[in-house]
Amino acid sequence: MDGITLTYTDRKGVLAPGALETMMADNAGLLKRVIDGEEEYRDYLGWFRVDDTAGEERLDFLLEQARRVRADGDAFVVIGIGGSNQSSRAAIKALRPKGGPAILWAGNTISACETARLLEELDGYKSVYIDCIAKNFETLEPGIAFRVLRQYLERRYGAENAAGRIFATGTPDSTLHQLCRDNGYTFLTFPERVGGRFSVISDVGLFPMAVAGIDIRALVGGMRSMRDRLWHESAGENIALQYACLRKLLLDRGYHLEMLSYFEPRLDYFAKWWIQTFAESEGKNNTALYPVAASNSEDLHTTGQFVQQGSPILFETFLEVRGQDASVIMPHEEKKDYFDYLEGMDFWAMNNVAFRATMAAHSDRGIPCLLLSIPAIDAATLGALYYFFLFSCYLSCHLLGVNPFDQPGVEGYKAYMFANLGKPGATL
């Protein structure tokens, strides 16, 4: 997509002159192989073309279902964990669409307190709908939340009326699909060839966004635009390959953390999606960067001291938003509060000054700084960012020599948990 750029500032000279250009040229073959389609990962690339899982016919269907919920519902509960809810929660937080039902979240915790609070909150809404997202319907958190919320709806509306309020998004012919067949719930598709953290380009991410009122056609259009850009840029110009190579070069030079820094709190959940995407894809074979985020300017007053003078273990990727979409002017004040020097200045301008000052100060310290600049926070740009990071992560995993699409380490805690909970067949 036009308007998204990536630049690199390195005042300490961490990378040798020409190192990035050489690495990008050396990986021209990798870029071509990925774009051509790798047979090795064919069963995981349902998201890659965009249209395979988010074509026009599918968008029409999702919008039709979303209109049904929006016409009647005043609360919509998304049940899911990890990749099943991160992408839609990120977009809804970032874009803050007006109107439509309240969007609530469940199945991402086992906390009794949070579950009880959610049920109490739902009592205050007149018309509640739910969507349980679970690819194989074996993950504990969404599974138990779905049972509790199904029964809640049945108590409130009766079994027959409750069925019309229940959506489930899963793999065709899974146990979740059968549950929908048996009880008349609306079934949506979690594509078999798409993993959770790549599922934004499918019913998983797009349906909750549509219910919230996000223009999913514009968002998918942004994905297509970025896809077309990355598929046609040469290795020497490709922004995703540039990002992946910079990350690997800095890792090789002893930087172990990448901090995504931004000055719009609207991006808080997008940062959580970014963290999961890279941590779960790359964190294998005792390698990879540890992804963290800084929501500024608040976090300048929490971790900012460490960044400025602590252990030099991280580099920063700043996410800049260029287009102004809000305005609050510092008013005149007769009372003496010593902020008169800011009178008449826009909060947008002050925030931008804080952003520039932070990047300058951290660069002066010697921290390598990447600047990913986007034109706005809107549906099309957000779609482009989703695709950019997914494509970059795919390339980055190749540079690390790890499988981009599995997550065997996630199963570690589950073995202990299921054994101690008495799940049939669970062993340590």
Side-chain angles (χ1 to χ4, degrees):
M1 168 172 285
D2 291 340
I4 295 182
T5 61
L6 179 66
T7 55
Y8 176 61
T9 301
D10 180 3
R11 295 184 181 175
K12 190 178 179 181
V14 173
L15 301 184
L20 174 61
E21 292 76 11
T22 298
M23 187 173 187
M24 292 176 70
D26 289 345
N27 282 283
L30 167 62
L31 180 64
K32 183 180 186 304
R33 189 169 75 247
V34 165
I35 292 171
D36 288 346
E38 296 184 290
E39 183 62 26
E40 177 185 4
Y41 295 126
R42 183 180 63 84
D43 291 339
Y44 303 95
L45 292 172
W47 60 276
F48 194 63
R49 292 168 49 86
V50 178
D51 292 323
D52 290 350
T53 54
E56 289 301 319
E57 184 176 340
R58 196 61 191 173
L59 295 183
D60 285 341
F61 173 76
L62 294 177
L63 288 166
E64 179 184 353
Q65 297 301 316
R67 281 191 291 270
R68 174 164 72 88
V69 178
R70 287 174 61 83
D72 177 65
D74 59 353
F76 179 71
V77 186
V78 181
I79 304 168
I81 194 167
S84 296
N85 72 355
Q86 293 280 25
S87 61
S88 58
R89 186 167 62 162
I92 292 166
K93 169 74 171 178
L95 301 178
R96 297 184 179 181
K98 297 179 180 179
I103 309 297
L104 307 173
W105 308 93
N108 53 359
T109 179
I110 311 175
S111 166
C113 179
E114 289 300 311
T115 304
R117 285 178 174 178
L118 172 64
L119 294 172
E120 183 179 357
E121 182 176 356
L122 289 178
D123 287 338
Y125 293 100
K126 181 180 179 181
S127 180
V128 179
Y129 287 74
I130 66 175
D131 176 23
C132 177
I133 307 171
K135 187 169 186 178
N136 57 22
F137 202 48
E138 295 178 357
T139 303
L140 179 73
E141 292 89 344
I144 61 178
F146 190 33
R147 178 184 288 194
V148 168
L149 287 165
R150 286 199 318 271
Q151 292 188 7
Y152 173 85
L153 293 184
E154 289 169 356
R155 288 194 300 272
R156 281 194 64 173
Y157 305 110
E160 184 175 348
N161 289 332
R165 297 172 176 275
I166 297 173
F167 294 81
T169 306
T171 302
D173 297 322
S174 62
T175 55
L176 182 59
H177 194 184
Q178 188 60 49
L179 190 64
C180 291
R181 289 193 190 106
D182 293 342
N183 295 279
Y185 309 149
T186 301
F187 183 76
L188 303 177
T189 301
F190 198 134
E192 293 185 67
R193 295 177 58 237
V194 176
R197 56 191 176 276
F198 294 83
S199 63
V200 59
I201 312 176
S202 72
D203 295 10
V204 174
L206 296 175
F207 179 59
M209 293 184 205
V211 172
I214 291 173
D215 184 350
I216 60 171
R217 289 194 187 281
L219 190 134
V220 172
M223 293 176 179
R224 293 192 187 106
S225 294
M226 180 57 75
R227 173 202 65 192
D228 293 345
R229 173 181 174 178
L230 297 179
W231 285 20
H232 290 94
E233 283 182 336
S234 68
E237 298 175 340
N238 192 281
I239 189 175
L241 182 60
Q242 179 186 5
Y243 180 55
C245 287
L246 279 168
R247 298 177 76 252
K248 181 61 165 63
L249 286 167
L250 291 168
L251 175 66
D252 288 346
R253 281 151 182 79
Y255 292 89
H256 299 291
L257 283 80
E258 178 182 9
M259 175 177 281
L260 185 69
S261 297
Y262 51 92
F263 282 71
E264 282 294 338
R266 288 176 286 173
L267 296 172
D268 282 349
Y269 284 121
F270 186 85
K272 289 177 71 68
W273 172 85
W274 173 85
I275 287 170
Q276 185 204 351
T277 297
F278 281 91
E280 199 167 59
S281 298
E282 294 185 329
K284 301 153 194 172
N285 299 347
N286 298 311
T287 188
L289 292 160
Y290 186 73
V292 296
S295 181
N296 297 321
S297 58
E298 181 175 7
D299 283 346
L300 294 175
H301 300 264
T302 56
T303 56
Q305 171 61 39
F306 177 89
V307 175
Q308 198 70 55
Q309 294 184 315
S311 302
I313 58 175
L314 63 83
F315 67 91
E316 280 186 273
T317 297
F318 285 90
L319 185 53
E320 175 193 27
V321 183
R322 297 193 304 273
Q324 180 172 349
D325 57 7
S327 178
V328 177
I329 304 299
M330 186 70 165
H332 174 71
E333 174 61 79
E334 294 294 340
K335 302 179 186 69
K336 194 68 173 175
D337 64 4
Y338 303 99
F339 288 98
D340 291 349
Y341 69 100
L342 297 172
E343 184 176 320
M345 187 175 292
D346 199 310
F347 270 56
W348 180 275
M350 287 188 274
N351 197 39
N352 190 54
V353 169
F355 158 66
R356 297 291 171 190
T358 302
M359 188 168 174
H362 293 180
S363 295
D364 285 346
R365 192 257 163 119
I367 295 173
C369 292
L370 286 67
L371 175 61
L372 186 64
S373 181
I374 64 175
I377 299 178
D378 57 28
T381 304
L382 205 63
L385 272 181
Y386 280 126
Y387 195 87
F388 165 77
F389 279 124
L390 291 176
F391 192 100
S392 300
C393 186
Y394 185 8
L395 294 174
S396 188
C397 287
H398 268 295
L399 298 180
L400 288 172
V402 300
N403 184 330
F405 303 111
D406 66 355
Q407 53 280 337
V410 175
E411 303 305 314
Y413 87 94
K414 291 182 181 180
Y416 285 94
M417 179 179 69
F418 284 133
N420 289 320
L421 288 173
K423 182 180 179 180
T427 59
L428 292 176

